[in-house]
Amino acid sequence: MERSLPELNTVIRTFANEMDAHLAQAVLDANGIDSSLIRDDAGGMMPWLQWLHPIRLVVRETDSVEAVELLDSPPGPTLVP
C-alpha cells in the first residue's frame, strides 16, 4: 500500500503578478517547503486576468504556519556595505 503525501491545499498568499508569486515560491523552496502556484489566466495568454483572479500560493496545511512566518519575516543582512 502506497503512502500518499498531504495535498498542497492551503492558500497562504495571493498575488496580482507572476513575478512576486514566483519570488515568494522561491523563498519557500529555498527553505524546504513544497508549494504550488494556482493561476487562472488562460495558461499565461491573458495575464490581465490576474487582476480579477489573483495567483494563489498554496502549501500543505502542516507547513502553512512556517511558510507564512518565512514570508512575513524581514530580509536578513546583505553583503553590500
Side-chain angles (χ1 to χ4, degrees):
M1 183 179 259
E2 277 188 48
R3 185 175 155 220
S4 63
L5 295 174
E7 293 183 27
L8 300 174
N9 61 3
T10 304
V11 177
I12 59 167
R13 285 280 196 292
T14 59
F15 299 92
N17 66 65
E18 199 169 346
M19 185 171 62
D20 289 342
H22 281 293
L23 181 61
Q25 186 178 32
V27 169
L28 297 180
D29 288 345
N31 286 280
I33 297 176
D34 290 330
S35 64
S36 184
L37 297 174
I38 300 174
R39 303 178 344 182
D40 189 11
D41 61 358
M45 294 185 343
M46 298 179 183
W48 61 87
L49 288 176
Q50 294 168 2
W51 288 95
L52 296 173
H53 308 284
I55 299 170
R56 295 168 300 230
L57 177 62
V58 294
V59 297
R60 290 185 185 92
E61 186 176 356
T62 57
D63 293 333
S64 62
V65 172
E66 183 182 359
V68 169
E69 287 175 358
L70 276 169
L71 295 177
D72 286 345
S73 63
T78 61
L79 298 176
V80 178

